[in-house]
Amino acid sequence: MVTKAQLKKLAKEYGTPLFVVDHDQLRKNLAEFKKYMPKVQPYFAVKANSDPAIVRTLYKAGASFDVASIAEFRTVYENIRDLPPKARQDFIWDKIIYAHPIKARDTLRELEPYKPLVTFDNEEEIRKVKKYAPHAGMVLRIKVPNTGAMVELSSKFGADPGRAVDLIGKTHAAGLVVEGLSFHVGSQTTNFQNYVQALNLAAGIFKEARMRGFKDMKQLDIGGGFPAPYDANVKPLRELAKVINAECKRLFPKDVAILAEPGRFMVATACTLVAEVIGKADRDGKRCYYINDGVYHTYSGIIFDHCKYPVKAFKKGPTQLCAVFGPTCDALDTIGLTEELPDLEIGDLVYSENIGAYSHASSTWFNGFPPATVVHIHE
Ligand SMILES: *Cc1c(COP(=O)(O)O)cnc(C)c1O
């Protein structure tokens, strides 16, 4: 836990905007995941927050990784290879999955020596992988319902479940091995039925594929989507885990290894942003505050992630309805139009909690404002 006093002290020491990463909370999130889903190996989805220190901490605590670009692969590989247990040539793919169904040719060429485990969802990709990374293991990504997820992911990727066994056959015919299936139910999935439907679709495909003699089908990758507790309406992971564990047990043979790719769940609650009021105005009867971080920076999740981050003050006192804007010249740079804040002065600090996922990762240098400084605590 990071206290308010600690946040203020850190902001004084490092300046603002400051992105505070609490490694105790990272370990706690991973431990919670493992506790409630002991049969599911978590592969942290690096895109949620690719900070190398986060990768190292999660690795040491027993996580594996999901990467989706060659840069993410290098971030993981270079940060874990010197940590025990020592990497063997092929060991690395027990710890990393390349879970992007569309891979550039250069990427495949660079990955080939590592005998990667990669996802795919179409025939063009089979030909590409065969040509540029023939030693890759293949995991077929299927399309599943993303109903009610905060971030929809099914319109861009995923083979039609009805075509899955045919695609598995074509992959084998091309001389590649399909090792399993993957799906993603949509990010911040609070509708647990998405997992139930996806697991049932996957089980049907597994059964048919094995019946047709594709005996290498040994992995089930249940993707990400595990919701972060942004507010009290989000049911705890424990309840989702119960649903997933029961369905996995009912639907899949014991020799199927199950992995997941939690991104948001691991990092969202582990980071806090501290910013500073740099301007103040009353417009149309409404108090407006301008702070030194915004939607082109740590608050980027407001745009890309459809997420809300309440702005809180350290100062006490009667509050009023305010607008809070970021530092750039763009009106899009709006953090909130209905924030409840006390009367603040220029130089006062504000903060937003649970801002660790899809935030700093998509920060830009727009308008000449740099991304927030990152500080790690309890590392
Ligand atoms: C984004 C992504 C994840 C992580 O999703 P969360 O909802 O953050 O858990 C996992 N797997 C794949 C393939 C993704 O694209």
Side-chain angles (χ1 to χ4, degrees), residues 152-220:
E152 201 267 345
L153 293 167
S154 63
S155 56
K156 190 165 169 182
F157 301 122
D160 190 295
R163 285 216 50 220
V165 180
D166 182 39
L167 269 172
I168 293 168
K170 289 202 159 103
T171 313
H172 279 268
L176 294 165
V177 177
V178 179
E179 298 185 16
L181 293 180
S182 79
F183 58 73
H184 199 302
V185 296
S187 202
Q188 186 72 5
T189 283
T190 46
N191 171 16
F192 297 168
Q193 282 307 305
N194 282 357
Y195 285 98
V196 173
Q197 287 180 34
L199 287 168
N200 278 274
L201 279 169
I205 297 165
F206 247 90
K207 206 167 162 195
E208 197 185 330
R210 283 193 165 188
M211 247 159 50
R212 293 232 210 135
F214 301 121
K215 302 269 188 262
D216 304 300
M217 298 274 291
K218 295 228 166 82
Q219 315 226 29
L220 174 68

Side-chain angles (χ1 to χ4, degrees), residues 45 47 66 99 141 153 184 186-188 223-226 261-264 358:
K47 83 167 184 286
D66 152 16
R141 166 100 170 243
L153 293 167
H184 199 302
S187 202
Q188 186 72 5
F226 306 90
E261 302 166 347
R264 179 190 307 282
Y358 307 111

Side-chain angles (χ1 to χ4, degrees), residues 7 34 36 60 106 116-117 147 159-160 174 178 201 214 238 244 252 262 275 332-333 335 346 352:
L7 290 174
K34 291 180 150 228
Y36 292 117
K60 284 191 242 169
D106 283 354
L117 187 61
T147 318
D160 190 295
V178 179
L201 279 169
F214 301 121
R238 168 168 40 86
I244 291 176
F252 293 92
L332 181 71
D333 198 358
I335 296 163
I346 311 273
S352 289

Side-chain angles (χ1 to χ4, degrees), residues 290 296-297 325-334 366-369:
Y290 299 80
Y296 287 94
H297 300 87
F325 298 111
T328 70
C329 300
D330 189 348
L332 181 71
D333 198 358
T334 300
F366 181 54
N367 232 182
F369 295 102

Side-chain angles (χ1 to χ4, degrees), residues 343-363:
D343 190 34
L344 297 174
E345 303 300 335
I346 311 273
D348 279 348
L349 297 177
V350 292
Y351 66 100
S352 289
E353 298 166 303
N354 302 329
I355 197 167
Y358 307 111
S359 54
H360 190 69
S362 30
S363 199

